[in-house]
Amino acid sequence: MAADFDIIVAGAGPAGMATAIALAGEGFATALVGEAGAPRDGRTVALLDGSVRFLTAIGVWERIAPDAAPMTHMRIVDATGSLFRPPPVSFSSREIGLDAFGHNVENVRLVAHLAEAAAARENLTLLPARVAGFAATEEAATVTLEDGRRIGARLAVGAEGRHSPLRRAAGIGTRTWAYPQTAVTAILAHARDHGGASTEFHTRAGPFTLVPLPGRVSSLVWVNRPQDAERLAALDDDSFARAVEEQAQSLLGAMRVAGPRGAVPLSGMSPTALTARRLALVGEAAHVFPPIGAQGLNLGLRDGAALHDAVVDARANGVDIGAARVLERFGRGRRVDTALRTNAIDLLNRTLLADMLPADLLRGAGLLTLGLIGPLRRAVMREGLTPGLNTPRQMRRPAREGAGAGGAEMVSPMPDQHRNHA
């Protein structure tokens, strides 16, 4: 079958749309298969520095920026009730020479802006349909749509989420797991200014995180036991807001629900491979994380940026963009990054659930060490934002950036936590 496109991207979520926009921007005839849309459930995305750089490079950040709030500080508070309780620690983006660690934006607004950018991008054909099948030969990939149409390309990209039809059709297996937790999400207004600080309380049920949005508004991710999440979901808005204020130890003052609420059971997924014949996986087709540590979509955008580098370099060297060696290069780099993030998030979450003194000592000692040892803390912050290993070109910082000095603030216990740390 003759190729209709250079590349077909299946899946119109944020990772799929950003990948398609990036590839089309390089002149590849690209098809984006899927319908863009996101539920209004209070979920937001904390786009870290590397992701903002990628979105800037592909020409879409200026659309998103007005709806996003910068995160200039990240604060961690141990609220586990452990015998070994380190003091709260606040990390400043200025320590590593940045104005902000990243920006937080409501998921529904991010998707809308990406969809507008995709519609305006040259070389990008939008096909609002679902994928029904996939096949590949040595010469081309073929994607069958649910209406029976068949389109061909030199490379297919699976970005259709955790149940990716392309991944299944290619015979790539998965490992899945679940946590005894549910993430309650919401948008809340509050009396005090957040000062650009994202605050994460570590509790026995999981992290309770408030992330800044424009104005005196923050998004909430409250990881809880399923039965407690059900109880919270049943509360009216006023009662729910009071529960959030109490859990946050009145850090931001009185709370008011200012947007949608939702609840998401926590689970994870890892495929046995990230590539197959003429197929690459990105986003939640390639990895599923619980909403902890702002890794999910940021990792998906790194997938897209890394694939961009692989195919651009292949074209420059006269190599078929869907060749096995091109995909092997992409998959090799992404496997390392994905494994590191998966293990780190899983370890953090399970140490909170363990309620065992050795786990508490390990986690507490780690926080205390990061608070006291500046070079280690700054190295960890840089790695968390944009990993140094195989960083995609469009996510790299210029060498002059990230050279800041200074130390993390050791935040005094409540009630002095009510201070503005911006």
Side-chain angles (χ1 to χ4, degrees), residues 57-77:
I58 65 175
V60 300
W61 176 246
E62 63 181 15
R63 296 173 180 267
I64 301 166
D67 288 328
M71 299 177 295
T72 59
H73 288 70
M74 293 185 181
R75 185 185 313 161
I76 299 176
V77 181

Side-chain angles (χ1 to χ4, degrees), residues 84 86-91 95 364-378 406-410:
F84 183 77
V89 180
S90 178
F91 304 94
E95 293 184 69
L367 285 175
L368 191 59
T369 300
L370 289 177
L372 295 174
I373 303 178
L376 174 62
R377 178 181 58 257
R378 289 188 285 275
E409 302 172 54
M410 300 301 293

